[in-house]
């Protein structure tokens, strides 16, 4: 009687399956885990969807506020600046309106005197 699964064939199948599994794990390690570790060593983040390293952006660079300043404090400071600028504009408009009224008055007096 001739057996299909002899010890020799089972050994070859097991070794083949082991080799394929090992190659798969090494490939996964090379293409998935090693780039992530390399990025971490360089102080970057690994963007898995695109498979590339990206540099994290410091939040104060984006928001233009000083490090350690909360959003509320920064908002209060910006609002104070806006209020100051609005007050300057209001005063300038009032000054210009006063000057225009003075000029109109002077022109009216000059026209009466003629």
């Amino acid at each position: 009687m001739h057996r299909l699964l002899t010890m020799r064939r089972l050994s070859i199948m097991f070794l083949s399956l082991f080799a394929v599994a090992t190659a798969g794990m090494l490939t996964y390690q090379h293409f998935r885990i090693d780039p992530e570790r390399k990025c971490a060593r360089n102080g970057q983040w690994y963007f898995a969807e695109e498979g590339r390293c990206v540099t994290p952006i410091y939040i104060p660079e984006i928001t233009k506020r000083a490090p350690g300043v909360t959003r509320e404090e920064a908002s209060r400071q910006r609002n104070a600046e806006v209020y100051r600028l609005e007050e300057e504009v209001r005063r300038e408009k009032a000054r210009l309106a006063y000057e225009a009224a003075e000029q109109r008055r002077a022109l009216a007096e000059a026209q009466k005197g003629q």
Side-chain angles (χ1 to χ4, degrees), residues 4-110:
L4 180 64
L5 297 177
T6 63
M7 190 60 157
R8 184 169 184 260
R9 287 183 182 165
L10 283 173
S11 301
I12 291 172
M13 287 181 359
F14 174 76
L15 289 175
S16 300
L17 182 64
F18 180 75
V20 167
T22 303
M25 286 190 306
L26 290 174
T27 302
Y28 182 78
Q29 170 89 20
H30 179 72
F31 289 108
R32 203 61 158 158
I33 297 173
D34 288 347
E36 191 171 345
R37 287 182 181 165
K38 181 181 173 188
C39 287
R41 265 187 270 125
N42 294 336
Q44 297 177 320
W45 293 340
Y46 184 67
F47 188 46
E49 287 80 18
E50 293 183 10
R52 63 187 178 105
C53 290
V54 293
T55 303
I57 300 173
Y58 190 49
I59 295 296
E61 290 177 10
I62 297 170
T63 60
K64 304 291 187 226
R65 66 178 184 234
V69 175
T70 66
R71 185 184 302 169
E72 184 179 350
E73 292 168 347
S75 180
R76 238 185 264 123
Q77 290 171 357
R78 282 194 200 107
N79 287 341
E81 177 69 13
V82 168
Y83 292 144
R84 186 187 64 74
L85 292 172
E86 285 175 348
E87 183 62 26
E88 283 180 22
V89 168
R90 188 190 61 73
R91 273 192 240 122
E92 182 67 17
K93 282 183 178 180
R95 185 187 64 78
L96 290 174
Y98 177 76
E99 285 179 6
E102 285 295 313
Q103 288 175 2
R104 281 189 210 106
R105 187 187 54 76
L107 184 62
E109 286 179 7

